[in-house]
Amino acid sequence: MEWLVAIVIGVMTASGVYLVLRARTFPLVLGLTLLSYAVNVFLFSMGRLQVGQAAIISPEASGYTDPLPQALVLTAIVIAFGMTAFLIVLALKARSELGNDHVDGMSYVAEEQAPKSKADQT
Amino acid sequence: MLMDLLSFNLPLVALIPFFGAPLAAWAANINRVASAWAAGLVTLLSLIMLMPAMSIPFAGETLIQSWSWLPALGLDFAFRLDGLALLFSFLILLIGLLVILYARYYLSPGDSMGRFFAYLLMFMGSMLGIVLSENLIQLVVFWELTSLTSFLLISYWQHQQDARDGARMALAITGAGGLAMLAGVLIIGHIVGSYNLTEVLAAGDLIRQHDLYLTALVLILLGVFTKSAQFPFHFWLPHAMAAPTPVSAYLHSATMVKAGIFMLARLFPALSGTEAWGWLVGGAGMITMVLGAYTALFKHDLKGLLAYSTISHLGLITLLFGFGTQLAAVAAIFHIINHATFKASLFMVAGIIDHECGSRDMRKVNGMLKYMPHTAVLAMIAASAMAGVPLLNGFLSKEMFFQQAVTASGGNILTWAIPVLVTLGAIFSVAYSLRFIHDVFFNGEPVGLTKTPHEPPRFMKIPVDILVLLCLGVGMAPMILVAPILTVAVSASLQEAAPAYSLAIWHGINLPLIMSFIAMGIGAVVYFNRHKLFRWHDENLPRIDARTLFNMCLHGLLVATGKISRLFDRGSLQNATSWVLLSAVVAVVAGYLQFNSPLLGDRNLMAVDVLTLALAAFVILASVLCAVLHHQRLVSLIIVGVVGLIVSLGFVKFSAPDLALTQLSVEVVTIVLLLLALFFLPQHTPQERNASRMTRDVVLSVSAGVSVMLLAMAVMSRDYAPISDFFIENSKPGGGGTNVVNVILVDFRGFDTLGEIVVLALAGLGIFAMLKQLRLPAPLRDIQGREWSHDPHPPIMQTLTRLLFPLMLMVAVFIFLRGHNLPGGGFIAGLIAAVALISQYLANGIDWTNQRIRADMHVVTALGLSAAVVTGVVAMLLSHPFLTSTFTYLKWPLVGKFEIASAMAFDLGVFLVVVGATVLILVELGKLSHASHEMQQQERY
């Protein structure tokens, strides 16, 4: 099972990193979202995997999983949302200020595909 | 009451000016004079706070008030009042008061009074902080604050290029010196084992014998010399003359430049007494004194003359400390007082002349005696004090200085140079003082002045009157006026009883008196032959313009650092990101290579079950598809949603119900958010042509993925000893809740959570600010060319969401209330409530919803943050650490026994911040499309 989770983390990281390296803002934000899933699951897995041992104190419980990584990841999920929201609005702002959605602004667009960007805007 | 005050008044003395600064700025809105009044009253209040402690230094004791801050690092919030601190506090506060009175008349109607007095008060507070600090690190912090606030003061006339340049130069030089001083202080702390002055001053022998003594000394002297404008760092001071004259009168007589001298006096018992001290301090002082006095004579600008004269006098004081004897320290501290009084008054006179004549050029300003006789008399007395004329205060300290110079010359040829050089400096000092008097007030008629000068307003002269009276009084009755404070200041500086010294005006005819007369005689000769000397000076000496040199260095530095950063950053985000990722991968690989044990540990791995395998296969497929199909943005967004949902299922499987709930609700909000944003972005990502870049990215992302996978596996396959047992054991007895994750969030690690919700609130505010002015055209057609529906609010959806709304809110409340004991809590409940609100906005439109939900989300966020902070503060008020929680059980009718924890209030804060920030973000984005729809509607009709 551990291998399965590790592979999932790895694949999410790889996809996330690939998207983060793209030249447009929207894929970049998606990439960061994927990457934050990967990071959250990675952090969570630092508490090792346990089945059916939620950290809810009760006399019937057979044991408890490590609650600390969970607490860290819980806030990380919320902060990741805040970051995603900030970034996507930054992307909108850049679009409105620069007229395109390239991560570096105007300069690269002209050489890549001048006619297409106009088509996109309509 | 008085005793109470004596346990905390010193920090107040230093901090009151900081609190008063905004008050003075605000008072300027009422009227200009109110601002000066506010500044004056704040200074008085600070002085009053000092009063009750005043008798302590005179009794020979040291008052220390300290609060532990970071004891592990030796950081205390600690203040100290001894004779030296008292003397300097007096100088800072009393001359500060006079400067405030003077500035009120000096500043013209176009200058902002509020800004001026606010800066001045902040500077005053920083200076008081330096002289009252017991902890050396704290002292350095105030030291750097004086650099910052003096930057603001010097650049007060921001529209002038030379003011900005001069301020920048002062900041760069004194700020850099402050950093060197910090390093020196850290070394001293390392040697002594404490940063508190009490221990440091008692450990002089230990410090002097340590291997690092020389390093520490040089670093601290760098701070001292830059601040006190000692050669070769003196050049910033003349350029700081671009400041308004009250600033110069304050900074260059009693405060800023005296901070360095203060450090010499303060650390005298800890650092002095070695050969290195003598050469470094004495050498710099000697060069500075002679060079400053010589240069001052050639300055035609009144303030330029005073600037170099200040440099020269600072050199004199430094030289005295360099002699290293106890009597020299007496002379040095005595001259600090005298220089502060006559130099402050001379700067004020220079300001009056500038104010009344519109010029400070001594080639134009002549014969002022008949235009402003009162000012002339004041200036003549003060300048005579500066020259060291008998019956004035400058004479007394100069005599002591000559005496020390003679004593220091042990008899051999080399050391006889000391009295000779000292006399040379004094000659020029007499010459430039004479120039200040003769050139300005006599010497014919004014040349080419634009206005007819006359006496300034009465109150503008009062500060000068007081200072000049002091010069006279101290000169004639030193034993009464100055001896008491001088003795306690000296004994505080030396950390032992002050040596016997005599302040008599007449010591009989001795060598120092002869030196004085030589200086006065030759000085007069030099002055009256000045024109020949000016010609010789202009023809034969190279001109070194420090500003040009400094600017060249600065420019060179900027170019060089620019080149270095351009090596790595050519303005492409993709390149920069790939460098960062590459170095991360390299770091992981390097880590593996260093790692000697096998990659996998021997923990028993869990068996795989079919359902999990299927879900994992699904999420892997989805992640890959997301990357492959990212050109179709809507599709890839939906896939990201799928990945997030499966991740939350994973949390369910592996015993993390809280995470699953959080992930699930965040997922909903994130997807709605990204959908709203995608509406305004291109629906397609263009194909990339750069094949090598694609290859590079694939290689990079695959290696990143593999690295992270192996890392996760290496950890998961090993057993470990977590610290979490503590949380599990104490959750119920200590935190009063059975849901350990929630108790960690709101109780054990509540401070972290507070930080997180602040970040969330800031993200919300940042987004609000960015969207405020944003107008984007909404696309009319979707990606396949179909028109968007004109009916954004279908009735079925409207009805359904309205029905669901109370239900969703009830779920949120339920989740919130049970959070402490069962999966749930503020974060999750907040997200659910946010989803409930957002679905109303989505289904019914912003106008409809805003009419019904009146709450302003800014207010909700602010309320939440306040609730969280207040919970913490209440614990502090009950003298527990910040955010300590408590709980009790209540018996409610029907419900039964019910546990209520103070952490619930904190969790309520979390809840409100999450609701506020999330709804704010999404509704602001929603308004964007609302606005652009309206734009289109208007265009259509």
Side-chain angles (χ1 to χ4, degrees), chain A residues 1-15 17-30 33-34 37 41-42 44-57 64-68 70-71 73-75 77-79 81-82 84-86 88-93 95-96 101-104 108 112-113 120 122, chain B residues 571-574 577-578 581 600 603 605-609 612-613 616 619-620 623-624 630 633 636 640 643-644 654-656 659 662-663 666-667 669-670 673 677-678 680-682 685-686 688-689 694 697-698 701 705 708-709 712-713 715-716 718 720 722-724 727-728 738-741 744-745 756 760 767 770-771 774 776 821 823 827 918 925:
Chain A
M1 199 79 100
E2 277 83 357
W3 273 111
L4 210 55
V5 173
I7 293 170
V8 168
I9 296 173
V11 173
M12 286 197 295
T13 310
S15 297
V17 165
Y18 180 77
L19 287 177
V20 163
L21 286 167
R22 304 284 39 88
R24 301 294 161 147
T25 50
F26 194 77
L28 191 143
V29 173
L30 287 188
T33 310
L34 268 183
Y37 293 155
V41 178
F42 179 81
F44 169 72
S45 73
M46 295 297 102
R48 309 300 186 272
L49 302 182
Q50 310 268 1
V51 176
Q53 300 198 326
I56 310 285
I57 308 289
Y64 303 111
T65 185
D66 191 343
L68 191 59
Q70 295 195 13
V73 170
L74 199 150
T75 49
I77 294 173
V78 180
I79 294 289
F81 162 70
T84 310
F86 194 86
I88 196 73
V89 173
L90 205 59
L92 288 182
K93 187 89 180 164
R95 167 95 206 252
S96 105
D101 67 336
H102 195 282
V103 289
D104 295 331
Y108 290 81
E112 252 181 41
Q113 35 93 38
D120 277 343
T122 50
Chain B
S572 157
L573 181 71
Q574 286 169 283
T577 315
S578 57
L581 287 167
L600 297 184
R603 183 186 156 97
L605 299 185
M606 249 186 276
V608 177
D609 61 273
T612 321
L613 183 67
V619 79
I620 290 169
S623 303
V624 174
H630 79 271
R633 293 183 170 181
S636 57
V640 166
V643 175
F654 296 114
S655 329
L659 290 193
T662 316
Q663 176 74 56
V666 163
E667 203 49 50
V669 192
T670 310
L673 170 90
L678 182 58
F680 292 100
L681 288 168
T685 303
E688 284 164 85
R689 306 252 169 83
M694 300 265 287
D697 291 352
V698 169
S701 47
V708 172
M709 179 186 80
M713 206 48 218
V715 175
M716 278 194 284
R718 285 178 164 77
Y720 73 126
I723 56 169
S724 304
F727 298 126
I728 292 170
T738 52
N739 180 5
V740 187
V741 175
I744 292 177
L745 282 175
E756 317 260 9
L760 193 64
I767 287 168
M770 278 197 285
L771 287 178
L774 194 63
L776 275 171
N821 291 312
F827 273 113
T918 314
L925 252 184

Side-chain angles (χ1 to χ4, degrees), chain B residues 297-466:
Chain B
L297 180 60
F298 297 95
K299 292 288 151 191
H300 301 302
D301 175 16
L302 260 179
K303 277 180 81 179
L305 183 150
L306 291 177
Y308 277 97
S309 145
T310 302
I311 292 176
S312 166
H313 280 273
L314 293 168
L316 185 157
I317 300 169
T318 309
L319 175 58
L320 275 168
F321 279 115
F323 288 151
T325 61
Q326 296 195 328
L327 279 171
V330 177
I333 293 173
F334 190 22
H335 199 68
I336 289 173
I337 307 173
N338 296 338
H339 178 250
T341 47
F342 66 68
K343 194 51 68 66
S345 53
L346 284 174
F347 269 115
M348 289 179 183
V349 167
I352 289 175
I353 289 170
D354 190 13
H355 202 253
E356 301 303 328
C357 300
S359 170
R360 301 189 308 244
D361 192 327
M362 279 179 281
R363 289 164 299 191
K364 292 182 182 170
V365 180
N366 306 116
M368 284 298 135
L369 181 65
K370 63 175 166 244
Y371 297 104
M372 39 177 92
H374 185 149
T375 311
V377 172
L378 296 176
M380 281 185 252
I381 300 173
S384 309
M386 175 161 79
V389 170
L391 293 182
L392 294 167
N393 58 355
F395 170 73
L396 295 173
S397 47
K398 230 168 198 175
E399 284 298 275
M400 288 167 100
F401 168 56
F402 289 152
Q403 180 65 55
Q404 289 307 310
V406 173
T407 316
S409 62
N412 67 45
I413 300 288
L414 189 69
T415 46
W416 263 110
I418 297 176
V420 173
L421 282 170
V422 161
T423 316
L424 184 70
I427 291 171
F428 281 105
S429 167
V430 169
Y432 70 66
S433 303
L434 204 53
R435 181 166 189 210
F436 192 99
I437 299 170
H438 183 263
D439 228 358
V440 174
F441 296 102
F442 302 96
N443 203 20
E445 284 293 310
V447 185
L449 289 187
T450 47
K451 49 184 176 183
T452 314
H454 54 81
E455 285 280 356
R458 181 73 202 96
F459 279 95
M460 198 168 176
K461 282 179 297 193
I462 283 187
V464 195
D465 288 339
I466 295 173

Side-chain angles (χ1 to χ4, degrees), chain B residues 297-300 363 435 439 527 529-540 543:
Chain B
L297 180 60
F298 297 95
K299 292 288 151 191
H300 301 302
R363 289 164 299 191
R435 181 166 189 210
D439 228 358
Y527 171 69
N529 291 301
R530 64 186 183 282
H531 295 296
K532 282 183 214 157
L533 202 62
F534 286 176
R535 257 199 310 282
W536 177 85
H537 177 83
D538 287 345
E539 283 165 13
N540 293 316
R543 272 179 187 268

Side-chain angles (χ1 to χ4, degrees), chain B residues 796-940:
Chain B
I796 293 182
M797 198 168 137
Q798 279 181 335
T799 321
L800 206 61
T801 49
R802 286 177 204 177
L803 276 176
L804 274 176
F805 184 60
L807 214 59
M808 288 170 91
L809 283 189
M810 206 170 74
V811 171
V813 173
F814 171 68
I815 290 277
F816 175 78
L817 285 178
R818 69 177 220 158
H820 216 45
N821 291 312
L822 288 165
F827 273 113
I828 300 163
L831 285 164
I832 294 175
V835 171
L837 285 166
I838 289 160
S839 52
Q840 296 310 307
Y841 280 99
L842 281 178
N844 300 305
I846 288 177
D847 292 335
W848 186 90
T849 319
N850 269 351
Q851 277 166 15
R852 282 155 186 83
I853 301 167
R854 293 285 172 78
D856 180 351
M857 286 306 150
H858 293 282
V859 179
V860 172
T861 315
L863 273 180
L865 277 182
S866 324
V869 173
V870 165
T871 317
V873 173
V874 166
M876 278 175 98
L877 290 181
L878 301 172
S879 53
H880 290 287
F882 188 62
L883 278 176
T884 309
S885 85
T886 178
F887 64 94
T888 182
Y889 294 93
L890 293 179
K891 278 208 184 350
W892 280 9
L894 295 176
V895 184
K897 196 173 122 181
F898 188 83
E899 179 230 292
I900 182 148
S902 71
M904 291 278 272
F906 182 78
D907 217 13
L908 183 66
V910 174
F911 172 83
L912 289 176
V913 172
V914 172
V915 173
T918 314
V919 174
L920 179 70
I921 292 169
L922 283 156
V923 171
E924 284 304 316
L925 252 184
K927 278 183 190 161
L928 192 61
S929 74
H930 198 61
S932 59
H933 272 303
E934 273 177 358
M935 247 157 61
Q936 280 163 7
Q937 301 265 320
Q938 284 165 0
E939 278 167 25
R940 200 168 290 160

